[in-house]
């Protein structure tokens, strides 16, 4: 079954498992990453640091904290990913809402899925590329994300969360097109 056909909880479970595999395979946390100025450690730091604030301010959810990404990026990721999965697996989460002045009111599980899980999916490529691991992402998920993001190109660039798109060859596969769209050079090497 494609990632696009799964519930928010199952999609997170599978995408996070892929990222966890790359975390566990990382030998050099100081390896440069495809995001300018980032290292492999910074990829993990980004994922474990931005979601707790959004959940706390928008849904009153406080995630457990683990070690910091500086001291123990793998440990920080394990605590964080376990907490996010527990939140998504909690039957009560389906009835909760995230409220944000920029996003409006969104069911909490959908907000996590739309903004966080997709971020984990895309950053899996960053960590894999930085550390010389398998960077393959599910084709259908890449195509779905790209088709949803392309109509919001100007807004995404204006948000500062994505750099300028990197041109890719005509007929490039969905992963290459997605990576280029989010501002990464698909041919980047450390």
């Amino acid at each position: 079954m494609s990632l696009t056909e799964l519930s928010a909880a199952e999609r997170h479970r599978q995408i996070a498992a892929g990222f966890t595999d790359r975390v566990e395979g990382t030998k050099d946390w100081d390896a440069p990453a495809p995001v300018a100025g980032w290292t492999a450690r910074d990829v993990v730091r980004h994922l474990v640091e931005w979601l707790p604030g959004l959940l706390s301010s928008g849904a009153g959810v406080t995630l457990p904290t683990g070690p910091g990404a500086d001291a123990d990026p793998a440990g920080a990721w394990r605590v964080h990913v376990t907490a996010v999965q527990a939140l998504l697996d909690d039957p009560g989460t389906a009835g909760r809402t995230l409220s944000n002045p920029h996003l409006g009111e969104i069911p909490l599980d959908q907000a996590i899925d739309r903004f966080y899980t997709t971020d984990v999916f895309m950053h899996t490529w960053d960590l894999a590329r930085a550390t010389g691991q398998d960077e393959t992402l599910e084709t259908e998920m890449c195509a779905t994300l790209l088709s949803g993001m392309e109509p919001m190109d100007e807004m995404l660039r204006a948000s500062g969360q994505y750099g300028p798109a990197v041109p890719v060859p005509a007929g490039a596969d969905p992963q290459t097109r997605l990576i280029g769209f989010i501002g990464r050079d698909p041919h980047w090497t450390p």
Side-chain angles (χ1 to χ4, degrees):
M1 179 178 286
S2 168
L3 289 171
T4 60
E5 300 171 290
L6 301 174
S7 68
E10 280 306 310
R11 187 171 12 265
H12 178 266
R13 188 179 329 282
Q14 289 193 25
I15 288 172
F19 190 83
T20 299
D21 288 346
R22 277 46 168 225
V23 166
E24 291 172 355
T26 296
K27 307 281 187 259
D28 179 6
W29 286 107
D30 295 318
V35 179
W38 280 20
T39 63
R41 179 185 323 276
D42 295 319
V43 176
V44 172
R45 179 191 334 279
H46 167 72
L47 292 172
V48 303
E49 288 184 355
W50 76 261
L51 182 64
L54 179 70
L55 294 178
S56 176
S57 66
V61 171
T62 301
L63 293 177
T65 57
D70 282 334
D72 182 4
W77 173 252
R78 280 191 296 276
V79 170
H80 178 77
V81 73
T82 299
V84 173
Q85 192 63 55
L87 180 61
L88 287 168
D89 287 340
D90 181 345
T93 298
R96 297 182 79 171
T97 301
L98 178 98
S99 178
N100 180 281
H102 305 290
L103 307 171
E105 302 275 325
I106 303 171
L108 182 56
D109 60 342
Q110 290 178 25
I112 293 168
D113 185 46
R114 192 179 318 166
F115 303 110
Y116 173 74
T117 303
T118 58
D119 204 34
V120 174
F121 180 79
M122 293 182 286
H123 285 300
T124 298
W125 185 87
D126 292 326
L127 185 58
R129 183 53 72 102
T131 58
Q133 299 182 67
D134 180 8
E135 63 193 51
T136 306
L137 302 175
E138 185 191 84
T139 301
E140 188 173 335
M141 184 74 172
C142 289
T144 299
L145 288 177
L146 186 61
S147 69
M149 294 167 77
E150 284 176 325
M152 301 184 296
D153 188 4
E154 280 186 45
M155 180 189 74
L156 292 172
R157 306 274 173 237
S159 75
Q161 296 177 19
Y162 298 92
V166 174
V168 298
D173 64 87
Q175 177 175 317
T176 300
R177 290 179 24 239
L178 175 66
I179 296 304
F181 180 84
I182 64 172
R184 310 288 196 277
D185 178 354
H187 303 291
W188 181 91
T189 57

